[in-house]
Amino acid sequence: NYPPYEVGSYLLRDIIEINTPGTPTGTEIWAAGNNGISVWRSGQWVSYNTYDNPNGLISNDIYKFAVDSKGQIWVSTAAGLCRFNGSQFETIMVPLSPGGKPLLPGKLAAASDGSIFMASSDTLYRFYYPIDNQEGQWQSWSFSSIYPDYPLSTYYPIYQLETETLNGQLWLKFQAKDPNNNNQTFNVLVRYHDGNFTAYSEAEIPALKSLNTIPFIPGNSGDSCYFTCEVGFLECNLGSGNSNN
């Protein structure tokens, strides 16, 4: 069964399976498209859009989903960020850093600890639930603090923010520029794990230079990644800095 036409037309950006204990199937399928959201629930498709449903959704242009530690579904849209509380969507106002730029659509991911990450072109944001604060708290890091060696590229600063499926580590891929080399751009990978950021650049792993705009595929362990390239796959062992074509 495919999502109905209003979601599947022209562009289907994301699709996830959500655990729903107590329902007949125990799961739901959420599909994001350029004209709303469709959910496969109890054997039928249910649509969410701004046309005729007063459900709080702020845009029909949907990019990505993420699920937090409470099982709430976060939705990245062209108009901002929403969170589904089980019956309605609520708009999430991200406390942008002073002078910070707006969030980038689609740059949304959940880490292994159930926290939610999102990105603008200059800042990474995290929402999480501390034990003593059921309302949740925000953190933010400028990319200059995560990778202070070189400034970000202004043309394609942030490529991708993804969670590794098998062990839940969060990965960020972006481009930086070298002011000492005619602002030549180069690829950088950043891994978030156990509250820490680790950055890998072409200087450490020369094979990163051959990456293109196609998304990377994290490997089975936290120390490896597979990248799609024009001529095949590139395997990078981030622990040793070795690479194999």
Side-chain angles (χ1 to χ4, degrees), residues 196-238:
N196 298 308
F197 293 100
T198 305
Y200 308 91
S201 72
E202 291 178 18
E204 302 165 278
I205 307 175
L208 293 180
K209 185 176 182 179
S210 62
L211 295 182
N212 52 26
T213 59
I214 301 174
F216 67 86
I217 307 169
N220 295 345
S221 70
D223 289 333
S224 65
C225 271
Y226 296 89
F227 303 86
T228 51
C229 303
E230 294 180 1
V231 295
F233 286 94
L234 175 70
E235 178 187 7
C236 288
N237 187 319
L238 298 178

Side-chain angles (χ1 to χ4, degrees), residues 3-163:
Y5 176 77
E6 60 265 21
V7 171
S9 61
Y10 305 116
L11 190 59
L12 183 64
R13 293 193 178 103
D14 195 19
I15 186 164
I16 61 171
E17 184 177 34
I18 306 293
N19 292 323
T20 54
T23 63
T25 59
T27 60
E28 293 180 352
I29 304 297
W30 283 59
N34 61 336
N35 208 8
I37 298 171
S38 275
V39 180
W40 180 252
R41 178 181 295 150
S42 300
Q44 63 181 353
W45 287 105
V46 177
S47 295
Y48 295 102
N49 53 57
T50 63
Y51 298 132
D52 52 10
N53 296 329
N55 50 47
L57 192 63
I58 58 175
S59 173
N60 290 324
D61 204 2
I62 312 299
Y63 282 80
K64 201 172 182 183
F65 302 119
V67 181
D68 66 20
S69 58
K70 290 189 174 183
Q72 298 179 110
I73 303 169
W74 293 63
V75 183
S76 172
T77 81
L81 198 62
C82 290
R83 183 173 60 199
F84 188 68
N85 62 16
S87 60
Q88 294 283 315
F89 293 92
E90 54 181 337
T91 301
I92 302 298
M93 303 303 296
V94 179
L96 299 177
S97 58
K101 298 179 181 179
L103 295 180
L104 296 170
K107 304 303 183 285
L108 176 72
S112 58
D113 59 4
S115 59
I116 299 295
F117 282 79
M118 58 222 73
S120 70
S121 59
D122 58 7
T123 307
L124 184 68
Y125 297 91
R126 177 182 181 241
F127 180 88
Y128 67 104
Y129 292 103
I131 296 176
D132 60 349
N133 185 349
Q134 294 303 311
E135 297 300 318
Q137 291 185 357
W138 290 91
Q139 286 181 295
S140 64
W141 301 266
S142 67
F143 288 119
S144 60
S145 66
I146 295 174
Y147 190 71
D149 297 340
Y150 295 95
L152 288 180
S153 165
T154 54
Y155 188 60
Y156 279 128
I158 309 301
Y159 272 151
Q160 198 173 9
L161 180 63
E162 295 288 349
T163 302

